[in-house]
Amino acid sequence: MFPPPPQTTLPSLPDLLLTALSVCFLVSSSKPHIGGSTRCPFPRRFLKIPAMSLTNTTTSKSSKNNNLNNTLLPPRRHSFASPQSLSEWLKPRLPSESFASWGVKPGTKNVHNLWLELSQGETSLADSTPPVRTVHVVLVRVTGKHGKILVESHQELSDGNVRKRGRPLSEKMKPNEDPESAAVRGIMEELGSAIGGGFRAANFEIDDIVTIDPNSYEMRVEERDSGSYPGLPGCYVLHTLSATVEGLPEGDFSTYEVDEYGGVFQDKIVADEAVSVKKHHWTWVSADSMHT
């Protein structure tokens, strides 16, 4: 009579995912850089991960989301003491005409914006020519009572220009921030002034206003040139979540950005030089028209 076969334990789906992403990142990092390419340091693929760690305990969720973020984030190769030092580093690595259009061409940002993103850890730059800007973004599909999806149609900027959007609420993620926390923060910052006459003024509890669907989490990686920084290739790690928000108007509405960089940087002069969003304009669209 033969002894029973040894028992083996299969790794969980999140562990398999993290392992696969780690291998892909190591393989891509080991390849030599080809000048002029827009190679993204992550595999260009679509991943749908229902309830990925969002339904677990708080400790487990934080640990697994941080592991995912750490796996995806490339090493930050440079730190810049000032926007001027960043500008000097960028000039020989970018097309001169493209770089000169930053903050001049309507809808673009300037080198002060990029420096602030790097200082906050929201963006990383690969040491290549041209550099590749990598950013993690959470997209929040806010669904209304009528079943439609909330979309930001356009923004009014501090320089007087208007930037078209046509996408759900989006927020750049902070270092070690999980998608759910970033989604809630983005809702408070960008929609707060429209909730019941003002989220902060009414002193609402966020849990009574915002509900995140834990089974809606999706992630995909896109490689494209940045609209905000012409000539700078971008790698966008997009984390999508669905949510409901109580108290929003049922028709088109606008919200105000009080101070996009307020209270974050000691050097207020740098923040004042950046192009900031002053007003968001929102509209409701049918779910069938969304492709995010």
PDB file of all heavy atoms in Angstrom, residues 33-56:
ATOM      1  N   HIS A  33      18.350  50.132 -22.463  1.00  0.00           N
ATOM      2  CA  HIS A  33      17.481  51.190 -22.958  1.00  0.00           C
ATOM      3  C   HIS A  33      17.889  51.575 -24.364  1.00  0.00           C
ATOM      4  O   HIS A  33      19.073  51.703 -24.668  1.00  0.00           O
ATOM      5  CB  HIS A  33      17.554  52.402 -22.041  1.00  0.00           C
ATOM      6  CG  HIS A  33      16.840  53.590 -22.609  1.00  0.00           C
ATOM      7  ND1 HIS A  33      15.466  53.676 -22.617  1.00  0.00           N
ATOM      8  CD2 HIS A  33      17.317  54.707 -23.225  1.00  0.00           C
ATOM      9  CE1 HIS A  33      15.115  54.800 -23.190  1.00  0.00           C
ATOM     10  NE2 HIS A  33      16.214  55.442 -23.571  1.00  0.00           N
ATOM     11  N   ILE A  34      16.934  51.772 -25.218  1.00  0.00           N
ATOM     12  CA  ILE A  34      17.184  52.220 -26.578  1.00  0.00           C
ATOM     13  C   ILE A  34      16.788  53.675 -26.652  1.00  0.00           C
ATOM     14  O   ILE A  34      15.640  54.035 -26.417  1.00  0.00           O
ATOM     15  CB  ILE A  34      16.373  51.394 -27.600  1.00  0.00           C
ATOM     16  CG1 ILE A  34      16.761  49.919 -27.476  1.00  0.00           C
ATOM     17  CG2 ILE A  34      16.619  51.892 -29.014  1.00  0.00           C
ATOM     18  CD1 ILE A  34      15.937  49.014 -28.358  1.00  0.00           C
ATOM     19  N   GLY A  35      17.724  54.555 -26.958  1.00  0.00           N
ATOM     20  CA  GLY A  35      17.453  55.984 -26.991  1.00  0.00           C
ATOM     21  C   GLY A  35      16.293  56.306 -27.899  1.00  0.00           C
ATOM     22  O   GLY A  35      16.185  55.789 -29.005  1.00  0.00           O
ATOM     23  N   GLY A  36      15.406  57.213 -27.410  1.00  0.00           N
ATOM     24  CA  GLY A  36      14.289  57.661 -28.214  1.00  0.00           C
ATOM     25  C   GLY A  36      13.050  56.807 -28.074  1.00  0.00           C
ATOM     26  O   GLY A  36      11.998  57.146 -28.593  1.00  0.00           O
ATOM     27  N   SER A  37      13.109  55.662 -27.397  1.00  0.00           N
ATOM     28  CA  SER A  37      11.930  54.823 -27.247  1.00  0.00           C
ATOM     29  C   SER A  37      11.087  55.341 -26.107  1.00  0.00           C
ATOM     30  O   SER A  37      11.527  56.132 -25.297  1.00  0.00           O
ATOM     31  CB  SER A  37      12.337  53.369 -26.980  1.00  0.00           C
ATOM     32  OG  SER A  37      12.849  53.242 -25.671  1.00  0.00           O
ATOM     33  N   THR A  38       9.837  54.877 -26.036  1.00  0.00           N
ATOM     34  CA  THR A  38       8.948  55.256 -24.933  1.00  0.00           C
ATOM     35  C   THR A  38       8.597  54.015 -24.138  1.00  0.00           C
ATOM     36  O   THR A  38       7.456  53.789 -23.802  1.00  0.00           O
ATOM     37  CB  THR A  38       7.681  55.933 -25.480  1.00  0.00           C
ATOM     38  OG1 THR A  38       7.017  55.038 -26.383  1.00  0.00           O
ATOM     39  CG2 THR A  38       8.033  57.218 -26.204  1.00  0.00           C
ATOM     40  N   ARG A  39       9.599  53.184 -23.884  1.00  0.00           N
ATOM     41  CA  ARG A  39       9.360  51.908 -23.209  1.00  0.00           C
ATOM     42  C   ARG A  39       8.845  52.127 -21.805  1.00  0.00           C
ATOM     43  O   ARG A  39       9.438  52.838 -21.004  1.00  0.00           O
ATOM     44  CB  ARG A  39      10.654  51.090 -23.181  1.00  0.00           C
ATOM     45  CG  ARG A  39      10.491  49.735 -22.503  1.00  0.00           C
ATOM     46  CD  ARG A  39      11.758  48.934 -22.635  1.00  0.00           C
ATOM     47  NE  ARG A  39      12.055  48.693 -24.035  1.00  0.00           N
ATOM     48  CZ  ARG A  39      13.261  48.322 -24.474  1.00  0.00           C
ATOM     49  NH1 ARG A  39      14.248  48.200 -23.631  1.00  0.00           N
ATOM     50  NH2 ARG A  39      13.463  48.098 -25.742  1.00  0.00           N
ATOM     51  N   CYS A  40       7.735  51.498 -21.512  1.00  0.00           N
ATOM     52  CA  CYS A  40       7.144  51.558 -20.184  1.00  0.00           C
ATOM     53  C   CYS A  40       7.765  50.461 -19.335  1.00  0.00           C
ATOM     54  O   CYS A  40       7.957  49.342 -19.819  1.00  0.00           O
ATOM     55  CB  CYS A  40       5.625  51.362 -20.299  1.00  0.00           C
ATOM     56  SG  CYS A  40       4.731  51.601 -18.769  1.00  0.00           S
ATOM     57  N   PRO A  41       8.106  50.728 -18.071  1.00  0.00           N
ATOM     58  CA  PRO A  41       8.747  49.707 -17.242  1.00  0.00           C
ATOM     59  C   PRO A  41       7.816  48.614 -16.768  1.00  0.00           C
ATOM     60  O   PRO A  41       8.215  47.751 -16.016  1.00  0.00           O
ATOM     61  CB  PRO A  41       9.280  50.520 -16.055  1.00  0.00           C
ATOM     62  CG  PRO A  41       8.393  51.699 -15.979  1.00  0.00           C
ATOM     63  CD  PRO A  41       8.008  52.006 -17.393  1.00  0.00           C
ATOM     64  N   PHE A  42       6.543  48.621 -17.184  1.00  0.00           N
ATOM     65  CA  PHE A  42       5.586  47.611 -16.775  1.00  0.00           C
ATOM     66  C   PHE A  42       4.968  46.960 -18.000  1.00  0.00           C
ATOM     67  O   PHE A  42       4.910  47.561 -19.067  1.00  0.00           O
ATOM     68  CB  PHE A  42       4.475  48.216 -15.913  1.00  0.00           C
ATOM     69  CG  PHE A  42       4.993  49.053 -14.806  1.00  0.00           C
ATOM     70  CD1 PHE A  42       4.693  50.403 -14.748  1.00  0.00           C
ATOM     71  CD2 PHE A  42       5.802  48.506 -13.834  1.00  0.00           C
ATOM     72  CE1 PHE A  42       5.182  51.190 -13.727  1.00  0.00           C
ATOM     73  CE2 PHE A  42       6.290  49.290 -12.812  1.00  0.00           C
ATOM     74  CZ  PHE A  42       5.983  50.625 -12.755  1.00  0.00           C
ATOM     75  N   PRO A  43       4.462  45.732 -17.886  1.00  0.00           N
ATOM     76  CA  PRO A  43       3.791  45.089 -19.018  1.00  0.00           C
ATOM     77  C   PRO A  43       2.540  45.839 -19.403  1.00  0.00           C
ATOM     78  O   PRO A  43       1.750  46.237 -18.552  1.00  0.00           O
ATOM     79  CB  PRO A  43       3.457  43.686 -18.484  1.00  0.00           C
ATOM     80  CG  PRO A  43       3.426  43.842 -16.999  1.00  0.00           C
ATOM     81  CD  PRO A  43       4.448  44.894 -16.684  1.00  0.00           C
ATOM     82  N   ARG A  44       2.336  46.061 -20.697  1.00  0.00           N
ATOM     83  CA  ARG A  44       1.141  46.757 -21.176  1.00  0.00           C
ATOM     84  C   ARG A  44       0.010  45.747 -21.271  1.00  0.00           C
ATOM     85  O   ARG A  44      -0.187  45.084 -22.272  1.00  0.00           O
ATOM     86  CB  ARG A  44       1.409  47.403 -22.536  1.00  0.00           C
ATOM     87  CG  ARG A  44       2.474  48.464 -22.499  1.00  0.00           C
ATOM     88  CD  ARG A  44       2.710  49.050 -23.872  1.00  0.00           C
ATOM     89  NE  ARG A  44       1.510  49.715 -24.367  1.00  0.00           N
ATOM     90  CZ  ARG A  44       1.419  50.200 -25.596  1.00  0.00           C
ATOM     91  NH1 ARG A  44       2.400  50.062 -26.449  1.00  0.00           N
ATOM     92  NH2 ARG A  44       0.300  50.809 -25.979  1.00  0.00           N
ATOM     93  N   ARG A  45      -0.748  45.624 -20.210  1.00  0.00           N
ATOM     94  CA  ARG A  45      -1.817  44.639 -20.178  1.00  0.00           C
ATOM     95  C   ARG A  45      -2.947  45.138 -19.300  1.00  0.00           C
ATOM     96  O   ARG A  45      -2.798  46.081 -18.549  1.00  0.00           O
ATOM     97  CB  ARG A  45      -1.311  43.297 -19.656  1.00  0.00           C
ATOM     98  CG  ARG A  45      -0.788  43.353 -18.212  1.00  0.00           C
ATOM     99  CD  ARG A  45      -0.279  42.002 -17.773  1.00  0.00           C
ATOM    100  NE  ARG A  45       0.833  41.584 -18.599  1.00  0.00           N
ATOM    101  CZ  ARG A  45       1.388  40.376 -18.505  1.00  0.00           C
ATOM    102  NH1 ARG A  45       0.933  39.510 -17.641  1.00  0.00           N
ATOM    103  NH2 ARG A  45       2.402  40.051 -19.274  1.00  0.00           N
ATOM    104  N   PHE A  46      -4.081  44.473 -19.418  1.00  0.00           N
ATOM    105  CA  PHE A  46      -5.265  44.806 -18.632  1.00  0.00           C
ATOM    106  C   PHE A  46      -5.463  43.715 -17.592  1.00  0.00           C
ATOM    107  O   PHE A  46      -5.469  42.531 -17.914  1.00  0.00           O
ATOM    108  CB  PHE A  46      -6.486  44.904 -19.544  1.00  0.00           C
ATOM    109  CG  PHE A  46      -7.782  45.066 -18.792  1.00  0.00           C
ATOM    110  CD1 PHE A  46      -8.165  46.309 -18.325  1.00  0.00           C
ATOM    111  CD2 PHE A  46      -8.611  43.983 -18.566  1.00  0.00           C
ATOM    112  CE1 PHE A  46      -9.357  46.469 -17.645  1.00  0.00           C
ATOM    113  CE2 PHE A  46      -9.800  44.135 -17.889  1.00  0.00           C
ATOM    114  CZ  PHE A  46     -10.171  45.381 -17.425  1.00  0.00           C
ATOM    115  N   LEU A  47      -5.603  44.107 -16.345  1.00  0.00           N
ATOM    116  CA  LEU A  47      -5.800  43.154 -15.257  1.00  0.00           C
ATOM    117  C   LEU A  47      -7.081  43.509 -14.524  1.00  0.00           C
ATOM    118  O   LEU A  47      -7.269  44.648 -14.105  1.00  0.00           O
ATOM    119  CB  LEU A  47      -4.625  43.199 -14.270  1.00  0.00           C
ATOM    120  CG  LEU A  47      -3.257  42.821 -14.840  1.00  0.00           C
ATOM    121  CD1 LEU A  47      -2.180  43.101 -13.806  1.00  0.00           C
ATOM    122  CD2 LEU A  47      -3.211  41.366 -15.245  1.00  0.00           C
ATOM    123  N   LYS A  48      -7.982  42.562 -14.391  1.00  0.00           N
ATOM    124  CA  LYS A  48      -9.198  42.760 -13.608  1.00  0.00           C
ATOM    125  C   LYS A  48      -9.105  41.876 -12.381  1.00  0.00           C
ATOM    126  O   LYS A  48      -8.986  40.662 -12.489  1.00  0.00           O
ATOM    127  CB  LYS A  48     -10.441  42.414 -14.424  1.00  0.00           C
ATOM    128  CG  LYS A  48     -11.735  42.703 -13.672  1.00  0.00           C
ATOM    129  CD  LYS A  48     -12.944  42.537 -14.560  1.00  0.00           C
ATOM    130  CE  LYS A  48     -14.219  42.897 -13.811  1.00  0.00           C
ATOM    131  NZ  LYS A  48     -15.418  42.776 -14.664  1.00  0.00           N
ATOM    132  N   ILE A  49      -9.153  42.491 -11.211  1.00  0.00           N
ATOM    133  CA  ILE A  49      -8.930  41.763  -9.958  1.00  0.00           C
ATOM    134  C   ILE A  49     -10.099  42.041  -9.039  1.00  0.00           C
ATOM    135  O   ILE A  49     -10.064  42.970  -8.226  1.00  0.00           O
ATOM    136  CB  ILE A  49      -7.611  42.197  -9.295  1.00  0.00           C
ATOM    137  CG1 ILE A  49      -6.498  42.271 -10.347  1.00  0.00           C
ATOM    138  CG2 ILE A  49      -7.210  41.242  -8.184  1.00  0.00           C
ATOM    139  CD1 ILE A  49      -5.272  42.974  -9.876  1.00  0.00           C
ATOM    140  N   PRO A  50     -11.193  41.300  -9.140  1.00  0.00           N
ATOM    141  CA  PRO A  50     -12.353  41.565  -8.284  1.00  0.00           C
ATOM    142  C   PRO A  50     -11.992  41.457  -6.812  1.00  0.00           C
ATOM    143  O   PRO A  50     -11.364  40.485  -6.389  1.00  0.00           O
ATOM    144  CB  PRO A  50     -13.353  40.477  -8.700  1.00  0.00           C
ATOM    145  CG  PRO A  50     -12.905  40.034 -10.054  1.00  0.00           C
ATOM    146  CD  PRO A  50     -11.408  40.181 -10.047  1.00  0.00           C
ATOM    147  N   ALA A  51     -12.389  42.463  -6.061  1.00  0.00           N
ATOM    148  CA  ALA A  51     -12.243  42.461  -4.598  1.00  0.00           C
ATOM    149  C   ALA A  51     -10.815  42.211  -4.162  1.00  0.00           C
ATOM    150  O   ALA A  51     -10.575  41.606  -3.142  1.00  0.00           O
ATOM    151  CB  ALA A  51     -13.162  41.404  -3.976  1.00  0.00           C
ATOM    152  N   MET A  52      -9.839  42.679  -4.937  1.00  0.00           N
ATOM    153  CA  MET A  52      -8.450  42.446  -4.600  1.00  0.00           C
ATOM    154  C   MET A  52      -8.090  43.101  -3.269  1.00  0.00           C
ATOM    155  O   MET A  52      -7.882  44.303  -3.194  1.00  0.00           O
ATOM    156  CB  MET A  52      -7.517  42.995  -5.678  1.00  0.00           C
ATOM    157  CG  MET A  52      -6.064  42.593  -5.460  1.00  0.00           C
ATOM    158  SD  MET A  52      -4.927  43.731  -6.255  1.00  0.00           S
ATOM    159  CE  MET A  52      -5.082  45.144  -5.178  1.00  0.00           C
ATOM    160  N   SER A  53      -8.090  42.290  -2.219  1.00  0.00           N
ATOM    161  CA  SER A  53      -7.710  42.674  -0.864  1.00  0.00           C
ATOM    162  C   SER A  53      -8.606  43.749  -0.262  1.00  0.00           C
ATOM    163  O   SER A  53      -8.407  44.143   0.871  1.00  0.00           O
ATOM    164  CB  SER A  53      -6.247  43.166  -0.819  1.00  0.00           C
ATOM    165  OG  SER A  53      -6.119  44.462  -1.326  1.00  0.00           O
ATOM    166  N   LEU A  54      -9.617  44.239  -1.016  1.00  0.00           N
ATOM    167  CA  LEU A  54     -10.457  45.295  -0.459  1.00  0.00           C
ATOM    168  C   LEU A  54     -11.472  44.748   0.535  1.00  0.00           C
ATOM    169  O   LEU A  54     -12.023  45.490   1.328  1.00  0.00           O
ATOM    170  CB  LEU A  54     -11.193  46.032  -1.587  1.00  0.00           C
ATOM    171  CG  LEU A  54     -10.285  46.781  -2.563  1.00  0.00           C
ATOM    172  CD1 LEU A  54     -11.125  47.412  -3.660  1.00  0.00           C
ATOM    173  CD2 LEU A  54      -9.485  47.863  -1.844  1.00  0.00           C
ATOM    174  N   THR A  55     -11.750  43.446   0.482  1.00  0.00           N
ATOM    175  CA  THR A  55     -12.721  42.859   1.391  1.00  0.00           C
ATOM    176  C   THR A  55     -12.062  42.197   2.592  1.00  0.00           C
ATOM    177  O   THR A  55     -12.730  41.623   3.426  1.00  0.00           O
ATOM    178  CB  THR A  55     -13.569  41.811   0.659  1.00  0.00           C
ATOM    179  OG1 THR A  55     -12.700  40.812   0.089  1.00  0.00           O
ATOM    180  CG2 THR A  55     -14.378  42.445  -0.456  1.00  0.00           C
ATOM    181  N   ASN A  56     -10.726  42.266   2.680  1.00  0.00           N
ATOM    182  CA  ASN A  56     -10.025  41.662   3.806  1.00  0.00           C
ATOM    183  C   ASN A  56      -9.985  42.636   4.973  1.00  0.00           C
ATOM    184  O   ASN A  56     -10.524  43.730   4.928  1.00  0.00           O
ATOM    185  CB  ASN A  56      -8.600  41.279   3.385  1.00  0.00           C
ATOM    186  CG  ASN A  56      -8.604  40.232   2.282  1.00  0.00           C
ATOM    187  OD1 ASN A  56      -9.539  39.442   2.178  1.00  0.00           O
ATOM    188  ND2 ASN A  56      -7.576  40.234   1.447  1.00  0.00           N
TER     189      ASN A  56
END
